[in-house]
Structures are given as C-alpha cells and as structure tokens.
Amino acid sequence: MPDTVFVLNGPNLNLLGTREPEIYGAETLDDIAARLEEKGRALGLAIEMRQSNHEGHLCDWLHEAQGAGAKAVLLNAGALTHTSLALYDAIRSIRTPVIEVHLSNPAAREAYRHKSFVGMAAKGTIAGFGAFGYELALDAAARL
Ligand code: DQA
C-alpha cells in the first residue's frame, strides 16, 4: 500500500479555472488533481483530493488524515487561512505534518491576507507559484 497524502482545499476553490483567473490561473481543481495523481505515482504516493466550502469539513478531514495514517496533508484553506482558529487548533491537534499551499502569494496582497492561522501551525508554506505550488508541496511531502 502506498503512503497517502491528503490534499484539502477550502472555500471557493471549487471554482478554480473561472474564479479571478488573473490571480488564481486557468487550471481547475480537477486539472490539479490529475497532475498530482501522476506525480504521486512517480513518487509512490496515493493522493486523496478533497474540497469543501465548510470549515468543519476541513477540521474533520485533518483528523481523518491522522486516523488514516497519512504521510502528510497539503492544505489550501482559501480565506479560512486568515480567519480560522479552529483550523489552527486542528493542525496542532494532529501529528500528521501539514504543508500550507496557496496559488497566489498572500504576503504580497491585501493586508487582511497577511495573517495566516494555517501557517502558524503548519510545517511550512508554499505560495505564489500558481497550480505548480501543489506539485512543489507534494515534493516536500515526499521528503518528510
Ligand atoms: C488562496 C489565497 C487566499 O487569500 C484566498 O482567500 C483564497 C485562495 C490562494 O490559493 O492563493 O481563496 O488560498
């Protein structure tokens, strides 16, 4: 059985491809999933890709990742990144390493995107490389 990496995506990321493409790019979440699965095969990793617009689902899936013995979680929490103490606590509550991912670089955007509850609890962050950032994060997960 290959190790599994959970890839969890938060609010509005279901609309990737049509949502503000000048910021987030033209690729859909399905495109990203396909690329991760291909890369995962090369790295010997299975990918469990999910998206929800609801904070509680993301908390539940972080807990599930630990229960399932996942190797790592890649987490793009969308706007919840900047608001969710519950996600901060959930990441700190599990031993599974969590890698924060963003398509854009929130540090170079509006001030209200500069604080990251996810980043304060995560192992590390990859931001600003568009959809390719998910692949960079998978490489990082493979080396943990
Ligand atoms: C995002 C950045 C967040 O600030 C924003 O709310 C998103 C997407 C990104 O991937 O660049 O929804 O997480």
Side-chain angles (χ1 to χ4, degrees):
M1 272 273 284
D3 279 338
T4 300
V5 173
F6 277 51
V7 184
L8 305 182
N9 296 278
N12 305 308
L13 292 166
N14 53 312
L15 298 180
L16 276 187
T18 56
R19 174 194 180 198
E20 299 186 276
E22 65 286 0
I23 297 175
Y24 299 116
E27 282 188 79
T28 66
L29 210 51
D30 283 347
D31 295 333
I32 293 171
R35 292 237 301 266
L36 286 178
E37 266 158 32
E38 190 183 331
K39 189 174 181 67
R41 271 192 294 278
L43 292 168
L45 295 169
I47 305 298
E48 181 66 35
M49 184 87 168
R50 299 190 189 169
Q51 187 277 332
S52 176
N53 293 321
H54 304 280
E55 185 177 33
H57 289 160
L58 295 169
C59 291
D60 289 345
W61 292 342
L62 285 162
H63 305 167
E64 186 187 330
Q66 167 160 279
K71 182 170 174 58
V73 175
L74 314 188
L75 174 61
N76 184 350
L80 290 172
T81 302
H82 316 298
T83 60
S84 179
L85 182 56
L87 281 178
Y88 170 86
D89 282 345
I91 295 165
R92 290 189 56 108
S93 299
I94 61 172
R95 288 178 305 281
T96 313
V98 174
I99 301 174
E100 179 184 27
V101 180
H102 298 287
L103 296 143
S104 67
N105 178 4
R109 298 180 62 194
E110 303 93 334
Y112 51 78
R113 295 183 202 276
H114 293 179
K115 180 166 185 168
S116 173
F117 284 90
V118 170
M120 288 189 292
K123 176 92 181 153
T125 299
I126 293 174
F129 297 99
F132 183 51
Y134 283 78
E135 292 179 63
L136 294 172
L138 190 59
D139 268 331
R143 286 169 187 233
L144 287 175

